[in-house]
Amino acid sequence: MRKWKRTISIGMVAALLAGAVPASAESAGTEVSMADNSTGTEVSIAAGAEETEKPEPLKSVRKISEDEIKAMNGGADVTVWQERDVLFVDGPCTEQAILGEADALAVAKSVMNLAGEDERMEFVPDRTITDPDGNRYYIFQQIYKDTLVWGGAVKVITDADGKMLGLNCSVESALPETDTEEGITAAQAEEAVRKYMRKTENVSVRVLPEYTSLTILPVNLKFDIESEDETVHFVWTVYTDHPSGAEDSAELPFLAHYVSMNGEYLYQMPAIVPGDDAGKAGYDASYVFEFMESVPYTGYVDLSDGSEMEVSVDVMRDRRTGMYYLGNLERRIVVADCYEFLYNDNQVVMEYSPDNLEWDQVGLLSLYNYCRAYDYYKEIGWLGGDGAETPILILNNFCDGRHKEVNNACYAGKVHGFQCFVASKINDLSQCLDVLAHEFTHCVTGTVMTYNSYMNDYGAINEAMSDIQGKICDMMADDGKRDNWILGADSMTPVRSMSDPHDFQQPEYTWDLYYYPAVSTPTAVNDYGGVHTNSSLLNQIAYMLIDKGGMKLEEARKFWFMVDCAMVPKTDYVQLGTLLPWVLRMADMTQYGQTLENAIQAVRLLEKQMPEHFDEDRALLKVSLPATEAFDTNNWVMYIYSLDTDLLKERLMKVVDGVLAGDYSCLPPFMEELINGDLDKRVEMALPILEAAITLMGGYNEMMGTDSDWGQADDGSQEDSGEQDALFPWMDEDPADASDEMSEEAGRILEEIETWLSELFEDVLFIGNGSAGQDGQTVNMVVRPGRTIPVLMHAVFKDVSDTPDQVAVAVYVAGKWFDLTQLEADAVAEDASQKLEEFSEEDFLAIFAGTDVEQMLADLMAGKYDKFSLDGILDLLTVEIKPGTIKELDSDGLETVVIPPPSEEEAEIEYEIVPGRKSRPKTEEKELQETEAQTEMAA
Ligand SMILES: [Zn+2]
């Protein structure tokens, strides 16, 4: 169920991808502008470029070979690692000191022959970063025909004295041959977008032609999993509005679509603004701090768990007017209204107060926690989100263009001269330092990596860097006393566990349960290829280094920052397997070398290729999808529910055997009491048991939608389970909550029954979810082996909302998929039980309508199913997945079971603005109360 709970979702590196030039270009005085018009492909290198010498073509630099590099190191161990578009040399490639960008560029060029030389490869300086140990990272970006090649970057790394330590790069050597004039025009690209959206998503989008521009992207046009040739191409970027608005979604108001030069629609990414002219023009946002002075504020806020917290943070006061503003002058962070900034000409309307007594709670907590995240990085010399002290804007009351609140907390990229983060009052994430430091780190990673395609491994690594630094920041803020590894620990809805990934349906190792194989078409619905899922691999390494290896929090902060600095856009998990130990040596932390090695082994970081054999307690379920429209969009998630019938049988038999042998410890404790107790005890327990039974039946009836006259639980309880569980409103229902008036004893009995049931069924039901892999056709899901009943739930999300628009449920029986039911999501959300109620006996029979029952019986009699026995029937009704194997299911029947969603008219709805909660001032009276309370306690 968790897949569509995307509360902390997207670090919108996508926004960077969606057109913003890396902020870093400014530092080198080179502004590569991709601003463009729809008529041509003119791309300019703006002012400042004349001073930067046009990079020399590669052929004029003397190339050095791998052998020379090795010889240079006096025969010492140096590895030239070249795989998957990444070239990594873990030692010097020059004997001379590197004392500046020019030296670094010359060295980089001298080894480009090892990275697949192309004479057209050119580079511009991006920035130079110095880490806490004084090591330098000279970063260059690749350009081609004066256009940035996204994902093309070189990092030359030296120590404080200029001694070269290594080089990491992912460059594009197979540059597009197509002359851009031979491809489709901007107008044709825009039409292709309209057509695609109409056809596959049934919506008309509004194109914003003024932002259509040409760019170079690494895209695999063939979508072939086996081929590693993910070369770069010129592509058109076309911006449109987000068809569903941001209504009910955790997304941004615009979409950036990518269309190849031959007119093929590639994919889309959400964007917060369509292009960012002001940002590109080096717009200075500092004006918001003019005439301001710092003043302290201390107040109280209510946390979502009902407790109260004191918050102290410096805010700003306008010296001219005396008005107070929610912002921090020292760190250059302000809180402003989201709507005004995003939908009303980028106006920065700051939260203000005439008396500095009360502030919007979410705004205040966000400011407070982003200040703490800021300080966490400042302590290692990194200033602001991007290291360049760019002002930070917290967009409070995140909403869509109609003021409808959007549930999210994310980094939204650099917009209009600000590094933007969004905060929403409909979640409690602003009170979580780990979450806000996570978002802050997205800005850091996006900056130091120059580009992150935010999909598959690349996105998972990005997410993990944020989780890791977010958690370390949170732990350090608490003097390291806190040792829980839960992300969003201070929220009522935590999202991940770094130490126990399975608790949140994340894999413990590559190709473990829940592992998300790479996708070819990243969508919000397939989590861009598992970016919030596979992040657990790296998260666990960080956890093990600290928890098992004893790495100190300060050391961990530095180490992971250095890893961030050393990574290149194409760094995947496999490269990290080589890069992490190298960075550990560079950071002089070799005492953790063994732990790191063990951790890399444990999470199987290097084992990216799908194994041919799985562990004994794992297996792979494979389904090749029919090539129908329903599966075309990738805006769907497939869930496979498998019931391990063998395990269930084993568990049940244990209970039966126990009871037969007179050992009742296998039953809930109250049963034992009941059986062994005397008559009085039994009488005493009768009523609570009856009460518990009625409550259970109530829950059961609600679940089954029976409208019997007794035991019907009131409907109010469904409200509480929240939207995310709307599909199965009863799933997370706690029967103990069903009746407020239940006696304590009955509550205990219910709890015991629940614990007993959950132990009994633990591991028996496995829910996996997946989507089409890189071939766009095959779903590969790691599952538990055993005899299973595959039930497939195909949930279609037309937008990225939490509620699916359509659900089809199919069960796999006798080698074929059968339609269980088709449910309209809206109906599901409103009244699932009623829908299920309508599901009649005939529907059940219809499941088998296409089956030749006579033939089945004949097969049974003929012994095809091991005679007419329980095993025979099981053979027919279940699928046996043998340990360690790959089981392929036929897709027969899927093409008729799962049909594309019907088109739907969008309703215009007006929303009201609901004010957020306010903090309370710290008054003298309050202080007095506190002193009294303390005195009392002391007494
Ligand atoms: Zn994130």
Side-chain angles (χ1 to χ4, degrees):
M1 306 301 290
R2 194 149 291 279
K3 266 278 85 86
W4 60 72
K5 287 185 189 174
R6 286 180 300 268
T7 40
I8 305 197
S9 55
I10 313 117
M12 271 296 108
V13 182
L16 179 72
L17 179 145
V21 168
S24 44
E26 291 146 33
S27 67
T30 316
E31 180 74 48
V32 180
S33 164
M34 302 203 310
D36 205 77
N37 50 45
S38 52
T39 53
T41 60
E42 192 182 83
V43 175
S44 66
I45 294 197
E50 305 91 75
E51 291 143 47
T52 312
E53 218 173 291
K54 180 99 175 150
E56 285 174 43
L58 272 177
K59 55 188 168 196
S60 62
V61 179
R62 194 184 80 81
K63 308 297 184 322
I64 57 172
S65 67
E66 203 172 322
D67 288 341
E68 277 179 284
I69 293 174
K70 288 192 169 159
M72 208 175 281
N73 289 279
D77 271 349
V78 61
T79 313
V80 176
W81 191 91
Q82 199 184 355
E83 217 174 297
R84 294 169 214 273
D85 305 317
V86 173
L87 169 71
F88 171 53
V89 183
D90 66 358
C93 309
T94 175
E95 280 159 335
Q96 287 164 347
I98 293 173
L99 300 172
E101 267 176 1
D103 294 351
L105 185 60
V107 171
K109 285 177 176 177
S110 73
V111 296
M112 276 309 120
N113 51 321
L114 302 175
E117 181 189 352
D118 184 310
E119 294 199 349
R120 297 167 300 171
M121 274 160 56
E122 292 179 66
F123 300 93
V124 288
D126 181 80
R127 66 168 61 203
T128 302
I129 297 170
T130 306
D131 72 21
D133 286 355
N135 302 310
R136 290 200 191 95
Y137 306 74
Y138 294 96
I139 306 175
F140 303 93
Q141 279 216 323
Q142 190 178 2
I143 54 167
Y144 177 55
K145 295 194 174 185
D146 294 339
T147 303
L148 274 180
V149 177
W150 291 111
V154 184
K155 292 184 173 182
V156 175
I157 304 165
T158 75
D159 69 9
D161 301 325
K163 180 180 182 314
M164 185 171 176
L165 299 174
L167 170 142
N168 199 12
C169 79
S170 58
V171 291
E172 299 298 346
S173 56
L175 291 161
E177 292 294 344
T178 327
D179 194 288
T180 54
E181 277 151 35
E182 289 168 18
I184 60 165
T185 64
Q188 287 169 322
E190 288 158 6
E191 192 42 44
V193 169
R194 285 193 199 95
K195 205 171 141 199
Y196 175 86
M197 294 299 279
R198 254 198 317 273
K199 184 166 173 284
T200 63
E201 303 193 20
N202 268 309
V203 287
S204 342
V205 287
R206 190 168 57 93
V207 169
L208 305 158
E210 63 272 34
Y211 298 107
T212 302
S213 62
L214 202 65
T215 184
I216 297 181
L217 273 183
V219 282
N220 186 348
L221 295 176
K222 283 190 227 144
F223 296 152
D224 179 0
I225 189 171
E226 300 306 334
S227 103
E228 286 277 335
D229 68 337
E230 196 184 28
T231 52
V232 289
H233 298 269
F234 274 107
V235 296
W236 284 107
T237 310
V238 177
Y239 288 92
T240 68
D241 56 347
H242 201 307
S244 58
E247 188 187 324
D248 274 339
S249 71
E251 284 299 343
L252 301 174
F254 299 97
L255 285 174
H257 307 260
Y258 300 92
V259 182
S260 76
M261 295 309 291
N262 58 17
E264 187 182 357
Y265 185 93
L266 299 170
Y267 60 93
Q268 51 180 263
M269 284 280 184
I272 197 154
V273 286
D276 178 20
D277 292 335
K280 284 178 198 164
Y283 180 80
D284 186 0
S286 304
Y287 67 91
V288 297
F289 302 102
E290 262 175 57
F291 309 109
M292 295 291 183
E293 61 185 4
S294 276
V295 286
Y297 174 76
T298 300
Y300 296 89
V301 292
D302 299 312
L303 303 182
S304 57
D305 65 359
S307 66
E308 187 183 63
M309 186 174 102
E310 184 178 310
V311 175
S312 284
V313 64
D314 278 357
V315 296
M316 309 191 300
R317 182 178 166 275
D318 190 325
R319 292 197 305 269
R320 301 164 304 175
T321 62
M323 184 66 83
Y324 296 88
Y325 291 94
L326 194 54
N328 185 279
L329 192 59
E330 185 196 336
R331 302 173 184 84
R332 292 156 65 86
I333 304 177
V334 293
V335 181
D337 185 72
C338 171
Y339 183 88
E340 297 294 334
F341 187 74
L342 288 187
Y343 311 109
N344 196 12
D345 295 333
N346 302 111
Q347 287 193 62
V348 179
V349 178
M350 286 188 274
E351 296 271 346
Y352 63 91
S353 156
D355 50 18
N356 193 24
L357 287 179
E358 53 175 36
W359 291 104
D360 174 81
Q361 284 207 24
V362 171
L364 182 69
L365 278 167
S366 302
L367 179 68
Y368 173 66
N369 279 325
Y370 276 119
C371 282
R372 298 210 285 171
Y374 182 103
D375 292 350
Y376 171 79
Y377 275 102
K378 190 186 172 195
E379 283 163 24
I380 54 167
W382 183 259
L383 297 177
D386 57 13
E389 287 183 278
T390 301
I392 289 170
L393 186 60
I394 299 164
L395 297 173
N396 198 11
N397 300 326
F398 190 37
C399 63
D400 68 9
R402 293 177 295 175
H403 283 293
K404 162 91 165 140
E405 290 284 334
V406 177
N407 184 0
N408 204 353
C410 72
Y411 167 53
K414 189 177 178 187
V415 183
H416 224 69
F418 291 97
Q419 292 291 359
C420 293
F421 297 86
V422 302
S424 162
K425 64 170 168 265
I426 53 174
N427 60 49
D428 60 359
L429 300 175
S430 58
Q431 67 191 38
C432 306
L433 177 58
D434 55 357
V435 173
L436 298 201
H438 168 111
E439 301 308 336
F440 196 89
T441 302
H442 274 311
C443 183
V444 178
T445 302
T447 306
V448 300
M449 282 185 77
T450 70
Y451 168 81
N452 181 281
S453 63
Y454 203 64
M455 62 172 84
N456 301 335
D457 266 15
Y458 312 130
I461 289 169
N462 188 339
E463 278 302 323
M465 294 307 296
S466 280
D467 278 356
I468 293 166
Q469 294 286 21
K471 199 70 233 175
I472 299 171
C473 171
D474 189 34
M475 287 175 163
M476 282 176 69
D478 200 22
D479 290 331
K481 272 176 282 178
R482 162 179 264 172
D483 65 343
N484 84 66
W485 293 88
I486 305 286
L487 269 302
D490 289 335
S491 159
M492 300 309 275
T493 50
V495 286
R496 289 183 282 282
S497 163
M498 292 174 70
S499 54
D500 299 290
H502 277 189
D503 290 356
F504 290 85
Q505 288 89 48
Q506 289 186 274
E508 286 181 357
Y509 53 85
T510 313
W511 294 103
D512 180 23
L513 297 175
Y514 312 115
Y515 178 74
Y516 223 100
V519 300
S520 64
T521 309
T523 64
V525 171
N526 64 29
D527 192 26
Y528 301 98
V531 300
H532 296 92
T533 311
N534 297 346
S535 51
S536 58
L537 304 180
L538 201 55
N539 281 354
Q540 278 184 109
I541 293 181
Y543 153 73
M544 289 181 209
L545 279 171
I546 294 171
D547 194 76
K548 309 268 184 275
M551 185 183 264
K552 293 183 193 70
L553 294 174
E554 289 81 1
E555 291 175 321
R557 166 174 62 182
K558 188 178 87 174
F559 171 67
W560 291 103
F561 178 72
M562 289 166 79
V563 171
D564 224 351
C565 289
M567 288 194 295
V568 288
K570 289 285 186 70
T571 296
D572 62 1
Y573 276 141
V574 177
Q575 202 222 339
L576 275 186
T578 313
L579 195 64
L580 293 177
W582 180 78
V583 175
L584 198 72
R585 286 200 298 279
M586 177 165 74
D588 209 7
M589 298 183 194
T590 45
Q591 68 269 35
Y592 309 117
Q594 192 56 49
T595 311
L596 178 62
E597 203 175 295
N598 296 346
I600 289 173
Q601 290 268 332
V603 305
R604 308 186 187 179
L605 206 59
L606 306 177
E607 299 170 27
K608 186 173 182 163
Q609 283 301 322
M610 190 170 89
E612 280 171 26
H613 302 285
F614 287 76
D615 289 359
E616 282 297 291
D617 55 352
R618 300 283 180 267
L620 189 91
L621 193 65
K622 191 170 179 166
V623 188
S624 283
L625 303 172
T628 62
E629 224 181 301
F631 293 99
D632 242 17
T633 62
N634 281 280
N635 275 335
W636 50 267
V637 189
M638 181 179 280
Y639 293 85
I640 299 258
Y641 296 76
S642 353
L643 191 67
D644 187 334
T645 52
D646 284 347
L647 193 59
L648 180 63
K649 197 166 121 192
E650 188 185 302
R651 295 256 169 88
L652 288 174
M653 286 317 288
K654 217 170 127 191
V655 173
V656 172
D657 287 349
V659 171
L660 288 180
D663 171 12
Y664 304 118
S665 62
C666 52
L667 296 172
F670 82 91
M671 295 278 284
E672 215 179 339
E673 274 171 56
L674 189 71
I675 294 165
N676 295 329
D678 56 19
L679 186 63
D680 284 353
K681 178 74 188 168
R682 292 185 199 184
V683 171
E684 190 191 308
M685 287 179 74
L687 199 61
I689 290 177
L690 189 65
E691 242 185 288
I694 289 174
T695 313
L696 269 182
M697 285 309 286
Y700 174 77
N701 282 326
E702 188 187 317
M703 177 175 118
M704 298 308 288
T706 19
D707 60 351
S708 68
D709 294 323
W710 54 278
Q712 181 85 6
D714 71 40
D715 247 343
S717 52
Q718 281 202 10
E719 297 275 356
D720 304 334
S721 61
E723 258 188 11
Q724 62 271 34
D725 297 320
L727 198 64
F728 290 123
W730 60 83
M731 277 286 264
D732 287 346
E733 195 87 359
D734 185 353
D737 295 339
S739 164
D740 295 337
E741 284 134 48
M742 197 170 38
S743 70
E744 213 172 288
E745 181 68 1
R748 177 184 72 100
I749 289 170
L750 262 187
E751 238 177 83
E752 283 180 16
I753 296 175
E754 281 172 50
T755 315
W756 181 73
L757 283 176
S758 69
E759 276 166 15
L760 189 69
F761 285 106
E762 201 191 357
D763 299 347
V764 168
L765 178 69
F766 171 76
I767 306 173
N769 70 72
S771 61
Q774 279 195 313
D775 62 354
Q777 191 96 58
T778 314
V779 179
N780 287 310
M781 280 175 44
V782 183
V783 298
R784 291 181 206 281
R787 200 178 272 289
T788 70
I789 303 170
V791 177
L792 179 149
M793 199 182 86
H794 178 282
V796 177
F797 298 78
K798 254 163 65 180
D799 55 44
V800 285
S801 70
D802 283 343
T803 316
D805 293 273
Q806 186 197 327
V807 174
V809 182
V811 62
Y812 189 81
V813 182
K816 199 171 184 319
W817 291 98
F818 294 95
D819 188 359
L820 263 191
T821 180
Q822 281 196 31
L823 305 170
E824 288 291 330
D826 291 343
V828 173
E830 274 156 33
D831 193 354
S833 47
Q834 204 187 330
K835 271 282 166 186
L836 281 175
E837 189 188 330
E838 285 164 11
F839 188 65
S840 67
E841 211 173 302
E842 283 111 69
D843 291 328
F844 273 113
L845 291 175
I847 293 172
F848 296 97
T851 314
D852 187 341
V853 179
E854 268 176 43
Q855 184 60 48
M856 256 161 64
L857 285 174
D859 285 348
L860 276 174
M861 299 311 282
K864 188 174 171 194
Y865 299 111
D866 191 21
K867 299 202 185 110
F868 213 141
S869 62
L870 181 64
D871 284 344
I873 293 168
L874 277 178
D875 274 347
L876 184 66
L877 296 179
T878 66
V879 172
E880 193 174 8
I881 302 176
K882 294 207 171 71
T885 61
I886 297 174
K887 175 78 189 177
E888 185 154 7
L889 299 186
D890 265 323
S891 69
D892 261 16
L894 274 183
E895 65 280 2
T896 50
V897 172
V898 180
I899 54 163
S903 54
E904 215 176 275
E905 287 300 311
E906 287 212 22
E908 278 290 328
I909 312 163
E910 290 300 324
Y911 299 103
E912 277 174 46
I913 304 171
V914 185
R917 250 186 182 174
K918 299 285 187 194
S919 67
R920 291 174 298 285
K922 179 160 181 155
T923 58
E924 278 163 34
E925 194 186 320
K926 180 92 194 179
E927 270 169 51
L928 195 69
Q929 278 174 11
E930 263 180 13
T931 326
E932 276 168 11
Q934 276 164 6
T935 324
E936 264 169 45
M937 268 169 70

